[in-house]
């Protein structure tokens, strides 16, 4: 159960969405059988539409996992465009490197094998699109860096912002151990919805996705 939308609606949308081909299809099938974290199908479609309109030259991703979303987003880069993706966990780094190689994207995707907490403050670059998909408890701390690194007219897309729907519940209606994340994610969402530099929407698809346009 998704806890965010009705299952029958999700099921229907997934049914009418064609299977991905090639390496993306293979990773999707693997993710279904194991607990590989990859963006949900609806989120993959949303990102594909946004990026095909945006036609980015540079993309930053926080949270590579096995490289699924990095490979997907690379399809929408302008000729000669680059994607930088950050992953801190060695098992994921190794899987991502293999997938990026298999996809023939070694010259397009650079994997930074470090914690984003270390990388973001010293990153001196600018991006058309930033995809935030790392540890939910850190979004708040990462936000000022993302806003600094995002070009004017750029898009910040953040995944898992409703955290199985818990973020929309009252603090007292969720288990004590989830309350820190709840508080931090609410503060992240408050920030992006009230920042006058941003045009923001929060969508109840997948695990909750926020899309912000930097004016
Ligand atoms: N974007 C991926 C899924 C990412 S899952 C896809 O859709 O294909 C989240 C990943 O973020 C995990 O692999 C986790 O190890 C990584 N991660 C979480 N916090 C991080 C951090 N602070 N720095 C770098 N990687 C992080
Ligand atoms: Mg995610």
């Amino acid at each position: 159960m998704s806890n965010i939308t009705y299952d029958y609606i999700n099921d229907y949308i997934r049914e009418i969405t064609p299977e991905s081909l090639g390496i993306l299809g293979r990773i999707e099938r693997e993710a279904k059988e194991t607990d590989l974290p990859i963006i949900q199908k609806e989120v993959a479609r949303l990102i594909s539409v946004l990026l095909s309109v945006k036609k980015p030259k540079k993309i930053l991703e926080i949270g590579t996992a096995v490289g699924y979303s990095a490979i997907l987003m690379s399809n929408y880069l302008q000729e000669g465009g680059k994607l930088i993706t950050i992953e801190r966990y060695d098992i994921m780094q190794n899987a991502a490197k293999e997938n990026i190689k298999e996809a023939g994207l070694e010259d397009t995707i650079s994997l930074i094998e470090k914690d984003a907490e270390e990388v973001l403050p010293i990153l001196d670059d600018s991006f058309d699109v930033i995809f935030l998909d790392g540890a939910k408890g850190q979004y708040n701390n990462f936000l000022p860096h993302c806003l600094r690194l995002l070009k004017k007219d750029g898009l910040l897309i953040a995944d898992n912002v409703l955290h199985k729907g818990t973020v929309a519940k009252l603090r007292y209606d969720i288990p004590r151990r989830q309350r820190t994340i709840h508080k931090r994610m609410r503060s992240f969402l408050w920030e992006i919805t009230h920042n006058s530099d941003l045009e923001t929407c929060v969508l109840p698809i997948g695990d909750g996705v926020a899309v912000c346009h930097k004016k």
Side-chain angles (χ1 to χ4, degrees):
M1 205 179 75
S2 98
N3 283 316
I4 288 182
T5 178
Y6 295 106
D7 283 348
Y8 82 99
I9 292 185
N10 262 354
D11 292 347
Y12 171 69
I13 294 173
R14 286 179 184 206
E15 236 173 72
I16 58 168
T17 307
E19 292 290 314
S20 302
L21 304 171
I23 186 164
L24 292 175
R26 198 254 295 149
I27 301 174
E28 283 170 20
R29 288 190 292 278
E30 274 172 26
K32 231 183 242 172
E33 283 150 29
T34 59
D35 54 2
L36 272 190
I38 66 168
I39 44 169
Q40 298 187 30
K41 213 165 174 178
E42 311 78 66
V43 180
R45 295 318 311 150
L46 173 70
I47 291 179
S48 299
V49 172
L50 291 172
L51 267 57
S52 58
V53 174
K54 180 70 192 154
K55 301 182 177 67
K57 199 153 180 77
K58 291 204 72 178
I59 303 176
L60 174 68
E61 174 179 71
I62 298 148
T64 319
V66 301
Y68 175 82
S69 51
I71 293 170
L72 174 84
M73 291 191 289
S74 296
N75 290 331
Y76 300 95
L77 281 169
Q78 278 180 37
E79 181 91 34
K82 301 275 179 217
L83 183 146
I84 295 177
T85 181
I86 310 171
E87 174 57 56
R88 65 179 174 189
Y89 183 28
D90 59 350
I91 293 181
M92 292 299 183
Q93 292 162 357
N94 293 333
K97 279 188 271 190
E98 275 184 31
N99 287 329
I100 292 165
K101 190 171 172 199
E102 188 186 321
L105 288 168
E106 284 162 299
D107 295 334
T108 303
I109 301 178
S110 314
L111 173 65
I112 303 183
E113 299 174 54
K114 284 190 180 145
D115 197 305
E117 202 162 12
E118 247 180 273
V119 179
L120 291 177
I122 54 168
L123 201 58
D124 181 19
D125 211 333
S126 61
F127 299 91
D128 305 295
V129 171
I130 300 182
F131 181 45
L132 182 50
D133 194 20
K136 293 175 275 293
Q138 294 176 303
Y139 281 22
N140 229 359
N141 297 341
F142 292 168
L143 182 60
H145 298 296
C146 291
L147 296 180
R148 171 179 58 84
L149 294 164
L150 192 62
K151 286 185 202 167
K152 181 179 178 301
D153 221 21
L155 287 179
L156 170 66
I157 306 168
D159 192 28
N160 308 100
V161 298
L162 295 176
H163 191 211
K164 303 186 176 105
T166 56
V167 174
K169 290 189 179 167
L170 290 175
R171 179 178 166 77
Y172 301 101
D173 291 337
I174 57 169
R176 201 167 279 274
R177 66 191 147 76
Q178 284 179 6
R179 289 188 191 164
T180 307
I181 289 227
H182 179 269
K183 188 174 168 191
R184 290 184 182 167
M185 194 53 95
R186 279 197 163 200
S187 143
F188 171 79
L189 290 175
W190 197 92
E191 200 56 45
I192 58 172
T193 47
H194 291 79
N195 186 318
S196 56
D197 290 337
L198 300 175
E199 197 73 72
T200 295
C201 75
V202 181
L203 297 165
I205 65 164
D207 194 27
V209 183
V211 182
C212 316
H213 175 237
K214 185 171 171 179
K215 294 188 254 183

Short mmCIF file of all heavy atoms in Angstrom, two decimals, residues 3 7 58 64 84 90 93 114 122 149 193 198 209:
data_model
loop_
_atom_site.label_atom_id
_atom_site.label_comp_id
_atom_site.label_asym_id
_atom_site.label_seq_id
_atom_site.Cartn_x
_atom_site.Cartn_y
_atom_site.Cartn_z
N ASN A 3 0.02 4.48 0.88
CA ASN A 3 -0.26 5.46 1.95
C ASN A 3 -0.31 6.90 1.45
O ASN A 3 -0.52 7.81 2.23
CB ASN A 3 0.79 5.39 3.07
CG ASN A 3 0.55 4.22 3.97
OD1 ASN A 3 -0.59 3.94 4.34
ND2 ASN A 3 1.60 3.51 4.30
N ASP A 7 -4.17 2.66 -4.24
CA ASP A 7 -3.45 1.62 -4.96
C ASP A 7 -4.03 1.40 -6.37
O ASP A 7 -3.28 1.20 -7.31
CB ASP A 7 -3.51 0.29 -4.21
CG ASP A 7 -2.53 0.30 -3.04
OD1 ASP A 7 -1.69 1.21 -2.98
OD2 ASP A 7 -2.62 -0.61 -2.20
N LYS A 58 23.85 20.43 -17.36
CA LYS A 58 24.52 19.86 -16.19
C LYS A 58 23.50 19.46 -15.13
O LYS A 58 22.63 20.24 -14.77
CB LYS A 58 25.51 20.86 -15.61
CG LYS A 58 26.69 21.07 -16.54
CD LYS A 58 27.90 21.56 -15.80
CE LYS A 58 28.52 20.48 -14.93
NZ LYS A 58 29.73 20.96 -14.26
N THR A 64 23.10 8.08 -5.52
CA THR A 64 23.17 7.36 -6.80
C THR A 64 22.50 6.00 -6.72
O THR A 64 21.89 5.55 -7.69
CB THR A 64 24.66 7.09 -7.18
OG1 THR A 64 25.44 8.22 -6.89
CG2 THR A 64 24.80 6.66 -8.62
N ILE A 84 26.76 14.74 -12.56
CA ILE A 84 27.59 14.37 -11.41
C ILE A 84 26.68 13.75 -10.37
O ILE A 84 25.62 14.30 -10.06
CB ILE A 84 28.30 15.63 -10.81
CG1 ILE A 84 29.27 16.21 -11.84
CG2 ILE A 84 29.01 15.30 -9.52
CD1 ILE A 84 29.95 17.49 -11.39
N ASP A 90 29.75 1.93 -0.32
CA ASP A 90 30.63 1.26 -1.30
C ASP A 90 29.93 0.20 -2.15
O ASP A 90 30.22 0.07 -3.34
CB ASP A 90 31.89 0.70 -0.61
CG ASP A 90 31.58 -0.29 0.49
OD1 ASP A 90 30.39 -0.41 0.86
OD2 ASP A 90 32.50 -0.95 0.99
N GLN A 93 28.20 2.07 -4.77
CA GLN A 93 29.19 2.67 -5.70
C GLN A 93 29.64 1.64 -6.73
O GLN A 93 29.69 1.94 -7.93
CB GLN A 93 30.43 3.16 -4.93
CG GLN A 93 30.17 4.34 -4.01
CD GLN A 93 31.26 4.51 -2.96
OE1 GLN A 93 32.20 3.71 -2.88
NE2 GLN A 93 31.14 5.54 -2.14
N LYS A 114 31.70 9.63 -2.15
CA LYS A 114 31.85 10.28 -0.83
C LYS A 114 30.48 10.60 -0.26
O LYS A 114 29.47 10.48 -0.94
CB LYS A 114 32.61 11.60 -1.00
CG LYS A 114 34.08 11.43 -1.21
CD LYS A 114 34.78 12.77 -1.11
CE LYS A 114 36.27 12.57 -1.32
NZ LYS A 114 36.90 13.67 -2.01
N ILE A 122 31.95 22.02 -0.58
CA ILE A 122 33.14 22.44 -1.34
C ILE A 122 32.93 22.36 -2.85
O ILE A 122 33.86 22.62 -3.61
CB ILE A 122 34.39 21.63 -0.92
CG1 ILE A 122 34.13 20.12 -1.04
CG2 ILE A 122 34.83 21.98 0.49
CD1 ILE A 122 35.39 19.29 -0.92
N LEU A 149 24.02 25.98 -5.63
CA LEU A 149 24.56 25.30 -6.82
C LEU A 149 23.60 25.30 -8.01
O LEU A 149 23.99 24.96 -9.12
CB LEU A 149 24.91 23.85 -6.46
CG LEU A 149 26.06 23.69 -5.45
CD1 LEU A 149 26.07 22.29 -4.86
CD2 LEU A 149 27.39 23.99 -6.14
N THR A 193 8.57 25.80 0.24
CA THR A 193 7.28 26.38 -0.16
C THR A 193 7.19 27.87 0.20
O THR A 193 6.27 28.55 -0.26
CB THR A 193 6.09 25.61 0.46
OG1 THR A 193 6.35 25.43 1.86
CG2 THR A 193 5.88 24.27 -0.19
N LEU A 198 11.84 30.67 -5.06
CA LEU A 198 11.39 29.40 -5.65
C LEU A 198 9.90 29.39 -5.96
O LEU A 198 9.09 29.99 -5.25
CB LEU A 198 11.65 28.23 -4.67
CG LEU A 198 13.09 27.96 -4.26
CD1 LEU A 198 13.12 26.85 -3.20
CD2 LEU A 198 13.95 27.57 -5.46
N VAL A 209 7.01 13.81 -4.08
CA VAL A 209 8.07 14.48 -4.84
C VAL A 209 7.84 15.98 -4.78
O VAL A 209 6.71 16.44 -4.94
CB VAL A 209 8.04 14.06 -6.34
CG1 VAL A 209 9.20 14.72 -7.11
CG2 VAL A 209 8.13 12.55 -6.48
#
